[in-house]
Amino acid sequence: WKDAYAHEQFVSDRVRTITKVVREEMDYTAEPLCAWFNNEQIEEESNTSKAVANLEMVGDNRQGLLMLDREMGARVFPPGSPLDPAAYSVAT
């Protein structure tokens, strides 16, 4: 999870760099897309840093790890999200 958090920070930096270039080029049509990616990265950094903090808090406590596993497994993702289980459902 620490590696995931570091990766999200790296992605956020890249998105900020792209946003800076978009603004320098005055590409106003790309601004909303950059805003979406920046907001998404705020959420991703928050989620991964929370996971790191929770794992550090429970340490090697097996009951705590099971509780975190259950909590993370119960998360709900918006329709269309690549993390939404319905995105991988096979139509019959």
Side-chain angles (χ1 to χ4, degrees):
W1 281 102
K2 287 180 181 179
D3 288 346
Y5 179 54
H7 177 72
E8 293 301 343
Q9 291 176 311
F10 170 79
V11 172
S12 293
D13 184 57
R14 300 290 87 209
V15 171
R16 284 190 296 271
T17 299
I18 291 168
T19 301
K20 181 180 176 186
V21 170
V22 163
R23 289 180 178 165
E24 288 170 354
E25 294 295 319
M26 292 187 262
D27 185 355
Y28 302 115
T29 59
E31 281 274 348
L33 186 60
C34 288
W36 183 88
F37 277 111
N38 279 293
N39 288 332
E40 185 67 19
Q41 281 311 115
I42 290 168
E43 181 181 351
E44 293 303 321
E45 281 193 43
S46 174
N47 289 339
T48 52
S49 69
K50 180 181 174 185
V52 169
N54 286 339
L55 287 166
E56 287 175 346
M57 178 179 62
V58 299
D60 291 332
N61 181 296
R62 291 179 183 209
Q63 290 175 325
L65 290 172
L66 285 171
M67 186 180 76
L68 286 177
D69 182 63
R70 188 176 308 117
E71 179 183 316
M72 293 180 83
R75 293 177 297 170
V76 177
F77 300 99
S81 165
L83 300 175
D84 178 13
Y88 302 102
S89 296
V90 178
T92 56

